[in-house]
Amino acid sequence: MALAAPWDPVPPGPPADVDYIVDSEAPEDPPRRFRTLQAAIDRALRDGAGMRADGRRVIRVHPGFYEGPVFLPAEGPPMALFGAGREAVTLAARIDAQMPGREFEQRFGAGFATAHPAIRAQFARIAARERVTTGNSAVLRIERDDTIVAGMTIRNDYACDRAGAAPLGAEPDVAGRYAEGQHQAVACHVAGADRVQLSALRLESFQDTLYLQAPSQGIGRSVVSDCAIEGDVDFIFGGATAYFEQCEIRSRGLRGAKSWAVAPSTNLWMPHGFVFERCHFTHDGAEAGRDATSFLGRQWFEGVRATPYSAPNEAGYVSNFGDVNRFEAPQGRISRRCLEAVGKCTVQNSALGTHISTDTPWDDWSAGAWSPRYRPVQATAGDFLSHLGGWLQDNGLDYSDLEARDFWLRIVTCTTGIT
């Protein structure tokens, strides 16, 4: 049975006509002209489906700087946001995963006071949290299927300078940035949506720049074309299926963090995770992360608390299969959803810079000293079965339907050593 109906995306082009115009320099003139992107989206939600065959509403964004966050909810018609170009249009905000909800409310609340009810509810939900978390730190959050976003820069301005997010005793650099810690700050978050197109964008942050989240059921597919995406730690991540074409994937060494470009958490039964075609993996030229010291990626062990992999260094450690992920030393449980978040990635017909190690392009999850979140690289389904064969049997789990030769991580027909 097919996971979803076939999708043949048409490359987005400049719209012949538009429903709404966003211009930060012009006077607001509803119901057509607005000064903020969120105001135009709110109006589209209130107006409902447009006259096009698919009901799509089209928003044109004129050159200028626009403040986020911006929410594009699942409710309402499909939308297309066309900017005047990534050099001309910037959507930005400073939001990190460890930001207290009350700080989020104080900083951005005024901009959502008169928003559409669905938007206000989304904002209130985040503001009520003790910490906003990674999944709520995005400058642009996309929940609606069939969304198109093109021709702009989306930047999370968080500078990895929250002391409370750094390890105890860590020292910042001269710019106040910490190289280690929990500094997730998403620029663009495709939050479970399907058939999303991102085109001619620049996406900027440090950790977790582009979040491609899988839906709770079904499949979430995105096409990312002609984009420049930059960051350092796991900066393209998630469980959705995504096809990247002619993109620049730029690792940043600016704050001295260890770098992994991708961190897929694709479900074991999904045929594809991230696929990169004719892309360039580059480096910003900073001292850190150069000369084969960066990784192409690692497989995100999403939600793990108690790994079933490898020999522990904690006496009495046990991890068993269960309904939830939890760890109360020395015993823990791992859910099926977490166990099956194996992560799949293919890089083909692309160019890999000298910053990426050709000997070990893929890294373990939670590498180094063993931890309850550790998982080794699993390039094939056979690696999964080899590592966990006895544990799977002990926990009554049957994965005999897996084809051991199926590749989960692949680099195919790529050039290396590109500067």
Side-chain angles (χ1 to χ4, degrees):
M1 180 180 293
L3 289 168
W7 177 42
D8 186 15
V10 177
D17 61 325
V18 301
D19 296 293
Y20 314 100
I21 294 171
V22 180
D23 191 337
S24 62
E25 301 299 324
E28 191 159 300
D29 187 21
R32 180 172 168 81
R33 185 182 296 273
F34 302 89
R35 298 195 68 181
T36 71
L37 184 53
Q38 190 66 67
I41 291 170
D42 289 349
R43 183 70 198 201
L45 291 172
R46 291 185 168 97
D47 289 347
M51 299 300 292
R52 297 169 182 82
D54 60 0
R56 185 180 303 279
R57 290 291 189 175
V58 177
I59 300 172
R60 177 183 291 158
V61 186
H62 283 205
F65 176 86
Y66 300 90
E67 185 176 3
V70 169
F71 300 145
L72 212 164
E75 297 86 349
M79 297 190 205
L81 317 179
F82 286 99
R86 59 193 183 200
E87 303 299 331
V89 175
T90 297
L91 174 67
R94 178 187 169 97
I95 313 168
D96 69 295
Q98 298 301 311
M99 174 184 283
R102 63 181 180 278
E103 181 182 336
F104 186 83
E105 164 69 35
Q106 291 165 358
R107 185 172 296 182
F108 304 114
F112 292 87
T114 60
H116 184 276
I119 301 293
R120 287 205 310 272
Q122 172 80 325
F123 181 85
R125 181 183 63 80
I126 299 172
R129 300 183 67 94
E130 181 179 357
R131 306 283 176 184
V132 303
T133 71
T134 303
N136 297 303
S137 67
V139 177
L140 175 64
R141 180 185 177 94
I142 301 168
E143 296 182 358
R144 181 59 164 91
D145 293 348
D146 300 298
T147 295
I148 297 171
V149 184
M152 65 182 73
T153 288
I154 303 172
R155 186 179 70 230
N156 195 316
D157 284 329
Y158 173 63
C160 303
D161 55 359
R162 189 181 293 277
L168 187 65
E171 292 292 335
D173 64 13
V174 294
R177 298 179 295 246
Y178 291 91
E180 297 180 336
Q182 302 301 312
H183 298 289
Q184 299 91 340
V186 177
C188 181
H189 181 183
V190 180
D194 189 27
R195 301 181 301 274
V196 172
Q197 294 186 70
L198 307 177
S199 178
L201 302 176
R202 176 177 290 119
L203 305 177
E204 300 177 359
S205 185
F206 285 96
Q207 182 173 353
D208 291 0
T209 306
L210 174 59
Y211 186 4
L212 298 164
Q213 183 181 11
S216 57
Q217 295 182 335
I219 188 170
R221 296 165 291 180
S222 293
V223 170
V224 186
S225 60
D226 189 30
C227 289
I229 308 167
E230 66 175 47
D232 50 29
V233 177
D234 305 331
F235 62 95
I236 301 174
F237 73 110
T241 295
Y243 181 75
F244 296 79
E245 185 175 23
Q246 293 186 300
C247 293
E248 180 185 6
I249 314 301
R250 190 171 187 242
S251 297
R252 304 179 72 181
L254 188 61
R255 68 178 175 118
K258 191 174 182 180
S259 181
W260 302 266
V262 303
S265 58
T266 328
N267 182 270
L268 179 150
W269 301 109
M270 283 289 170
H272 304 288
F274 298 163
V275 177
F276 294 85
E277 172 74 37
R278 291 178 292 156
C279 292
H280 282 74
F281 289 77
T282 64
H283 189 266
D284 67 359
E287 182 177 351
R290 297 171 60 184
D291 304 325
T293 57
S294 293
F295 292 94
L296 188 56
R298 56 182 179 169
Q299 293 156 301
W300 180 23
F301 207 174
E302 185 175 358
V304 66
R305 295 295 180 270
T307 180
Y309 291 87
S310 190
N313 58 7
E314 182 163 343
Y317 178 84
V318 176
S319 176
N320 290 313
F321 180 73
D323 294 333
V324 296
N325 300 308
R326 71 167 185 260
F327 179 55
E328 297 175 2
Q331 299 184 2
R333 289 187 173 273
I334 183 170
S335 69
R336 184 179 297 276
R337 184 179 180 88
C338 178
L339 180 68
E340 294 183 352
V342 298
K344 302 182 181 183
C345 182
T346 297
V347 181
Q348 58 191 26
N349 304 315
S350 296
L352 307 182
T354 57
H355 64 296
I356 293 175
S357 170
T358 56
D359 293 332
T360 54
W362 309 105
D363 196 17
D364 301 335
W365 185 259
S366 192
W370 184 90
S371 84
R373 304 190 182 202
Y374 171 80
R375 182 173 63 187
V377 175
Q378 298 183 138
T380 68
D383 292 338
F384 172 85
L385 296 171
S386 175
H387 285 300
L388 294 181
W391 183 90
L392 294 173
Q393 184 175 4
D394 291 345
N395 282 270
L397 298 172
D398 181 11
Y399 286 92
S400 58
D401 288 346
L402 282 181
E403 175 53 64
R405 294 173 295 179
D406 283 351
F407 281 96
W408 291 352
L409 300 175
R410 290 192 300 172
I411 301 173
V412 183
T413 322
C414 290
T415 55
T416 58
I418 304 300
T419 58

